[in-house]
């Protein structure tokens, strides 16, 4: 009888809250990011396409721990001007589309402006870029689609090699409503994007990833395919 009663109780429908509520922007953006980025190679794919759309002739891909720890893409493309760096990681901010009719003549890989936004919601992102008309490069840091203050970097960090950045950096404490400006730095024409700690805020997504070796092989496959389709571009 006791077992029977337990079964009957387990069969009862769980109580739920029937009220309809609007999801917060944070939840919406993380869901959207999960639809675009399922594994590290998806992020690499999106960043390579951005570099190709920027008319790059040289693209360098650097990976740490299968792209889970660090993804760094450097190119010699058109670059991003200082005035546009605040928008670059916001959803639906794009240089490739102005009106709906433009879709008929679209010749770029991407156009919606969601790739960098999605990456910034599941990774710590920094962007260094220089256009041909700028006297120097500019660097900015991003979190959840917004440009944030420069995170604390350990004194022994090599600024010329983002792959050696302090892995314990926590960008959350730098979120602020105060005005944030890109920092002038030395650089060359083009853009370098670094995404650290991919899926740091989604434990279930991280657990679903393959080993670092397997993720690395998927990235190699993506780079190989784009290099074959774009023989005019140097990949390394």
């Amino acid at each position: 009888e006791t077992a029977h009663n337990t079964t009957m109780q387990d069969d009862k429908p769980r109580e739920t809250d029937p009220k309809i509520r609007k999801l917060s922007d944070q939840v919406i953006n993380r869901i959207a990011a999960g639809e675009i980025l399922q594994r590290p190679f998806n992020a690499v794919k999106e960043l390579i396409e951005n570099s190709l759309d920027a008319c790059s002739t040289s693209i360098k891909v650097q990976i740490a721990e299968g792209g889970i720890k660090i993804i760094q893409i450097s190119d010699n493309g058109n670059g991003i001007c200082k005035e546009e760096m605040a928008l670059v990681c916001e959803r639906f901010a794009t240089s490739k589309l102005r009106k709906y009719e433009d879709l008929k003549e679209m010749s770029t890989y991407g156009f919606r402006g969601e790739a960098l936004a999605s990456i910034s919601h599941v990774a710590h992102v920094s962007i260094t870029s220089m256009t041909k008309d700028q006297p120097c490069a500019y660097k900015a840091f991003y979190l959840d689609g917004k440009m944030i203050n420069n995170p604390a970097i350990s004194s022994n960090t090599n600024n010329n090699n983002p792959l050696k950045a302090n892995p314990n950096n926590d960008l959350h404490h730098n979120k602020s409503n105060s005005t944030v400006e890109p920092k002038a730095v030395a650089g060359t024409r083009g853009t370098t994007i670094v995404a650290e700690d991919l899926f740091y805020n989604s434990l279930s997504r991280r657990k679903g990833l393959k080993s670092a070796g397997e993720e690395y092989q998927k990235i190699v496959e993506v780079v190989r395919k784009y290099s074959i389709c774009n023989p005019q571009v140097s990949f390394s």
Side-chain angles (χ1 to χ4, degrees):
E1 183 178 354
T2 302
H4 175 73
N5 289 338
T6 301
T7 302
M8 292 295 291
Q9 290 175 359
D10 292 343
D11 289 342
K12 290 181 180 179
R14 295 181 178 178
E15 293 184 3
T16 58
D17 187 347
K19 294 181 181 179
I20 296 175
R21 293 184 174 87
K22 180 178 174 60
L23 295 174
S24 68
D25 288 342
Q26 184 183 47
V27 173
I28 292 172
N29 288 324
R30 286 192 182 179
I31 291 174
E35 293 174 347
I36 296 173
L37 307 173
Q38 298 177 0
R39 292 171 62 183
F41 78 85
N42 297 121
V44 172
K45 169 186 176 297
E46 298 290 347
L47 294 177
I48 287 177
E49 289 182 352
N50 277 356
S51 293
L52 291 172
D53 287 342
C55 303
S56 303
T57 58
S58 176
I59 300 174
K60 185 176 183 179
V61 181
Q62 292 179 269
I63 302 297
E65 296 184 20
I68 301 169
K69 193 60 183 174
I70 291 180
I71 295 172
Q72 177 177 308
I73 309 292
S74 303
D75 65 49
N76 65 344
N78 297 329
I80 305 165
C81 67
K82 177 185 176 183
E83 293 74 21
E84 295 176 353
M85 291 192 76
L87 288 174
V88 73
C89 282
E90 291 196 15
R91 292 186 68 197
F92 307 118
T94 178
S95 61
K96 304 163 188 175
L97 186 67
R98 289 292 177 268
K99 56 185 184 297
Y100 183 79
E101 288 72 22
D102 292 343
L103 290 172
K104 297 179 181 179
E105 301 177 358
M106 193 62 59
S107 59
T108 57
Y109 282 99
F111 61 88
R112 294 179 300 176
E114 286 193 277
L116 279 173
S118 296
I119 295 172
S120 75
H121 280 280
V122 295
H124 298 147
V125 175
S126 67
I127 299 177
T128 304
S129 193
M130 179 178 176
T131 66
K132 65 178 181 179
D133 299 321
Q134 291 179 172
C136 65
Y138 289 90
K139 183 173 185 176
F141 299 85
Y142 300 85
L143 186 69
D144 293 338
K146 302 295 183 181
M147 187 163 62
I148 64 171
N149 290 320
N150 188 347
I153 302 295
S154 63
S155 60
N156 60 357
T157 297
N158 183 346
N159 292 328
N160 294 322
N161 188 356
L163 292 180
K164 293 183 180 179
N166 182 358
N168 297 317
N169 285 339
D170 182 1
L171 308 194
H172 287 283
H173 68 280
N174 289 292
K175 294 179 75 173
S176 171
N177 293 325
S178 60
T179 302
V180 181
E181 293 287 340
K183 178 183 177 182
V185 296
T188 57
R189 179 181 172 181
T191 302
T192 295
I193 298 178
V194 182
E196 301 184 67
D197 299 319
L198 193 64
F199 303 126
Y200 73 95
N201 54 1
S202 180
L203 185 59
S204 59
R205 183 56 59 88
R206 274 219 171 187
K207 287 182 177 179
L209 297 177
K210 306 294 184 181
S211 68
E214 290 180 272
E215 296 296 346
Y216 176 78
Q217 289 304 318
K218 289 292 295 183
I219 291 173
V220 170
E221 183 180 343
V222 167
V223 175
R224 181 180 63 82
K225 288 180 178 179
Y226 279 99
S227 65
I228 291 174
C229 295
N230 297 275
Q232 77 283 5
V233 180
S234 169
F235 284 84
S236 62

